[in-house]
């Protein structure tokens, strides 16, 4: 429900029906849920082949095959893992809704690029829309959670990815809308400052000291001037 509310104003996609499966059968035979890696075939029992949606998204809190964050399961199904989200805690301000939506925009773009279908991973890789260089682009091919977090600082589409998108017959205004809508995934300046303080503790201490010194000096002078002003 939070995910639907967060994306209620999107012009590029609409989240329709949702189903929660609290204890799916694929987990019942394993003692250590947290360490078990789910393979693509494990999701066969969860796939709703009768769905009327353009494509369906399965969201799980488990490791995926080959430690991917998200994977294509079929031409109408994808899976997104929120496993190990605490690895993003070094970049506060990234909510689950923001994290999942990032991948939805990526898959929606692929869906539109390939004539409203989700092609195999091999075909997508040949298109070279996703990039190995991590630059904070929507289409970065990330390996580690902190690399994913880079996108939320300044959400963008790299010039290289834009060139690729423009080679496809996308709906009118799609790229412009995509550029605009991903900006809602940007973390606030408050969290950016917190990130910087965490990454630079020594500089943060020095900065705090200098700011305190400056303001204490100014405040001291102000109080002194007020005393003089009211002195009989």
């Amino acid at each position: 429900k939070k995910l639907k509310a967060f994306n209620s104003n999107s012009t590029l996609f609409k989240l329709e029906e949702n189903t929660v499966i609290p204890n799916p059968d694929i987990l019942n035979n394993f003692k250590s849920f947290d360490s078990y890696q789910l393979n693509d075939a494990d999701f066969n029992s969860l796939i709703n082949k009768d769905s009327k949606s353009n494509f369906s998204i399965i969201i799980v809190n488990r490791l995926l095959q080959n430690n991917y964050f998200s994977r294509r399961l079929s031409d109408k199904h994808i899976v997104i893992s929120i496993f190990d989200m605490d690895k993003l805690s070094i970049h506060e301000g990234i909510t689950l809704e923001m994290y999942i939506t990032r991948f939805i925009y990526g898959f929606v773009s692929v869906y539109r690029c390939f004539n409203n279908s989700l092609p195999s991973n091999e075909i997508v890789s040949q298109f070279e829309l996703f990039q190995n260089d991590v630059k904070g682009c929507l289409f970065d091919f990330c390996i580690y959670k902190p690399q994913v977090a880079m996108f939320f600082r300044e959400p963008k589409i790299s010039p290289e990815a834009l060139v690729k998108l423009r080679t496809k017959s996308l709906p009118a205004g799609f790229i412009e809308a995509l550029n605009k809508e991903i900006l809602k995934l940007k973390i606030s300046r408050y969290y950016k400052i917190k990130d910087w303080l965490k990454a630079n503790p020594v500089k943060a201490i020095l900065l705090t000291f200098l700011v305190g010194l400056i303001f204490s000096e100014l405040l001291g002078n102000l109080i002194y001037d007020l005393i003089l002003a009211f002195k009989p």
Side-chain angles (χ1 to χ4, degrees):
K1 291 180 179 179
K2 287 184 178 180
L3 189 62
K4 289 179 70 173
F6 183 73
N7 293 289
S8 60
N9 294 325
S10 175
T11 61
L12 300 182
F13 68 90
K14 179 182 179 182
L15 297 175
E16 297 178 340
E17 55 189 299
N18 61 288
T19 304
V20 178
I21 306 175
N23 191 28
D25 293 337
I26 58 176
L27 300 179
N28 289 339
N29 298 326
F30 305 97
K31 294 180 180 180
S32 180
F33 292 167
D34 290 339
S35 62
Y36 178 67
Q37 188 177 85
L38 294 173
N39 296 315
D40 293 355
D42 293 326
F43 293 99
N44 289 338
S45 62
L46 298 179
I47 289 178
N48 179 10
K49 297 180 180 179
D50 298 324
S51 174
K52 304 301 181 183
S53 301
N54 296 117
F55 63 86
S56 299
I57 304 166
I58 299 174
I59 301 170
V60 294
N61 187 21
R62 295 291 182 270
L63 283 167
L64 297 183
Q65 182 175 324
N66 297 330
N67 199 29
Y68 278 77
F69 304 133
S70 62
R71 290 180 67 85
R72 169 196 180 272
L73 299 175
S74 73
D75 59 350
K76 292 192 67 175
H77 299 87
I78 63 173
V79 59
I80 299 173
S81 172
I82 57 173
F83 182 79
D84 233 6
M85 279 291 292
D86 59 309
K87 294 292 177 64
L88 288 178
S89 63
I90 57 171
H91 298 276
E92 294 182 73
I94 304 173
T95 65
L96 277 174
E97 299 89 78
M98 294 165 64
Y99 179 79
I100 295 171
T101 300
R102 176 201 186 278
F103 291 104
I104 293 177
Y105 276 122
F107 279 106
V108 167
S109 300
V110 171
Y111 180 80
R112 293 301 187 190
C113 282
F114 288 90
N115 300 316
N116 299 337
S117 67
L118 293 173
S120 67
N121 297 324
E122 290 75 17
I123 293 177
V124 174
S125 63
Q126 290 172 10
F127 178 40
E128 297 180 347
L129 176 62
F130 290 87
Q131 306 153 132
N132 290 324
D133 293 337
V134 180
K135 302 176 181 178
C137 171
L138 176 65
F139 301 105
D140 284 346
F141 187 77
C142 302
I143 300 176
Y144 307 107
K145 282 288 194 303
Q147 293 178 331
V148 179
M150 285 180 60
F151 168 76
F152 298 95
R153 299 180 66 82
E154 293 292 340
K156 63 179 180 291
I157 302 173
S158 70
E160 296 82 3
L162 281 174
V163 169
K164 286 291 181 179
L165 288 174
R166 287 173 179 145
T167 64
K168 292 292 185 177
S169 299
L170 295 168
F174 180 90
I175 296 177
E176 292 75 12
L178 182 63
N179 265 318
K180 180 180 178 180
E181 289 190 21
I182 61 175
L183 293 179
K184 70 182 178 184
L185 304 178
K186 183 177 181 178
I187 61 175
S188 69
R189 189 178 300 276
Y190 167 78
Y191 290 110
K192 287 184 180 180
I193 294 173
K194 288 192 69 176
D195 283 351
W196 185 87
L197 293 176
K198 287 182 180 180
N200 303 276
V202 175
K203 292 181 180 179
I205 293 172
L206 290 174
L207 183 62
T208 303
F209 173 76
L210 290 174
V211 171
L213 183 64
I214 292 171
F215 276 95
S216 63
E217 185 72 23
L218 290 174
L219 184 60
N221 290 336
L222 178 61
I223 293 173
Y224 180 75
D225 291 340
L226 289 173
I227 292 173
L228 290 180
F230 288 98
K231 187 175 181 180

